[in-house]
Amino acid sequence: MAHRVVRSSPMATPSSWPTTPLDAAEKAFLMLAEAPSHVPFDARGFDGLPDRVLPLDQLRRLLLASGTGRAVRDAVWRELVVRARRDGPVWRVAAVGMAMPGLRRQAGLLAAGWHGDTHDLDAELLVGFMERLASVDVDEPRICGRLVDAGVRAARKIRVAESDAVLIRSGTPGSLLPIRPWDHPDLVLARAVATAVIDRDEARLIAGTRLDHETLARVAGELGISPQTASDWRARAERRLQQAIAGGELSFVPLRSRRHRGRGRRVGSLLGARAVAAAVSASQQQALVGKTSDRMAAGVRAPGIVAAPA
């Protein structure tokens, strides 16, 4: 069984930058929370939170407290997502740091039984989380949980794709039981695309609406088609997919490894010391306090957040 290394505090040696993805993310978050950079969060107007401006690390502790209700957490996460979309790297780092307890917990679960480098799983966990920031529906509950879930799904895909048992088995059962996660839906879709049973747009429709619980209209808009057309595409694609699985067409279809150095660079570009320093410098020039009333600019469909001005 793989063992995760217990590391020292990311702030123990301020002159060095952590080499592990999660430690780098935590250090970047703490840089934003501490003086003199101190990127604040305006908690005024949020029921259940102190009526003042809070440092990010204090805000995280309050959200983790057992007495903080789910509605308060979702309200704060709604604001974090809006700022991450509208105001750039500072608030993307803030969102990752706010979710760090959940990300670390999932990273530990993902590492169980993994014989590869856990840094690869951690990097994919972060990339999946950050990619989902751009599309998660903030009008639905459990915003942070759904972001973490997206990261877990991304990490599971690289784990399964690089394992020794990633083949889909279909047809009549034999003497060997299929090895989980033989039926992982992301791998089913990937193999269906690889064998031209469905195309990438159809896979995006199925994954987005069936697995990620996005609306059909949202995914259709991304693809540049009408919701009715998207519905027809999805129905036909799902019929072909069902027939392909039942006929054994997706059995033993190899997939290329998903390990790409570029993804590690993407994490580093967000969480590296130079990028965070630049973001902190920008935040000192322009205050990022107060709530946004321009949610449409951040891609959010609901009306603005009603709160007292900062």
Side-chain angles (χ1 to χ4, degrees):
M1 177 179 291
H3 297 282
R4 299 185 65 82
V5 177
V6 178
R7 310 176 183 100
S8 61
S9 169
M11 295 303 291
T13 55
S15 61
S16 63
W17 191 255
T19 58
T20 63
L22 294 181
D23 283 351
E26 177 68 4
K27 181 167 183 176
F29 175 77
L30 293 177
M31 286 177 64
L32 297 180
E34 294 178 347
S37 54
H38 179 46
V39 175
F41 183 90
D42 186 1
R44 292 173 291 182
F46 286 90
D47 293 336
L49 293 181
D51 191 27
R52 63 177 186 272
V53 174
L54 299 173
L56 292 175
D57 54 347
Q58 183 177 344
L59 177 67
R60 183 169 69 178
R61 288 194 296 271
L62 287 171
L63 292 192
L64 291 173
S66 59
T68 302
R70 180 177 298 177
V72 177
R73 294 190 180 99
D74 279 339
V76 170
W77 270 99
R78 186 174 298 114
E79 180 70 14
L80 289 171
V81 171
V82 169
R83 287 204 170 274
R85 293 175 184 175
R86 191 192 67 182
D87 297 332
V90 166
W91 290 94
R92 289 197 293 271
V93 172
V96 171
M98 292 291 295
M100 187 56 63
L103 289 169
R104 286 197 183 278
R105 181 168 57 251
Q106 292 298 330
L109 295 173
L110 287 164
W114 174 249
H115 299 291
D117 189 345
T118 57
H119 297 174
D120 292 339
L121 297 179
D122 293 349
E124 201 72 10
L125 181 68
L126 286 176
V127 171
F129 178 97
M130 291 186 289
E131 288 180 343
R132 191 71 173 118
L133 269 174
S135 61
V136 68
D137 188 348
V138 297
D139 297 316
E140 295 293 327
R142 194 176 162 268
I143 298 171
C144 181
R146 286 184 286 125
L147 290 170
V148 173
D149 288 347
V152 170
R153 286 187 56 217
R156 281 177 177 167
K157 284 192 284 185
I158 191 175
R159 176 182 168 124
V160 173
E162 296 189 5
S163 69
D164 294 330
V166 296
L167 302 179
I168 296 178
R169 304 177 188 274
S170 61
T172 56
S175 58
L176 295 177
L177 291 176
I179 302 174
R180 293 186 65 86
W182 63 276
D183 56 349
H184 194 292
D186 292 310
L187 291 177
V188 174
L189 293 176
R191 287 180 170 80
V193 171
T195 54
V197 172
I198 60 176
D199 63 26
R200 292 185 180 276
D201 287 343
E202 291 167 334
R204 172 71 182 98
L205 271 171
I206 295 172
T209 59
R210 301 301 194 196
L211 304 180
D212 292 336
H213 307 294
E214 298 179 65
T215 64
L216 190 62
R218 186 185 189 92
V219 181
E222 292 178 2
L223 297 176
I225 59 178
S226 70
Q228 183 58 54
T229 300
S231 178
D232 294 341
W233 281 13
R234 184 181 63 181
R236 290 194 295 267
E238 288 177 336
R239 284 195 295 269
R240 293 197 304 273
L241 186 61
Q242 183 179 20
Q243 292 169 0
I245 294 174
E249 295 179 37
L250 304 184
S251 298
F252 310 106
V253 177
L255 291 175
R256 291 183 178 180
S257 169
R258 295 183 71 252
R259 181 181 297 176
H260 297 297
R261 295 296 181 183
R263 293 182 79 80
R265 286 196 297 271
R266 290 180 61 191
V267 175
S269 67
L270 174 65
L271 301 175
R274 182 177 301 176
V276 173
V280 168
S281 176
S283 72
Q284 291 173 327
Q285 298 173 15
Q286 179 180 4
L288 296 178
V289 183
K291 300 170 186 62
T292 176
S293 60
D294 189 12
R295 300 182 72 196
M296 293 300 293
V300 181
R301 292 173 285 103
I305 298 174
V306 178

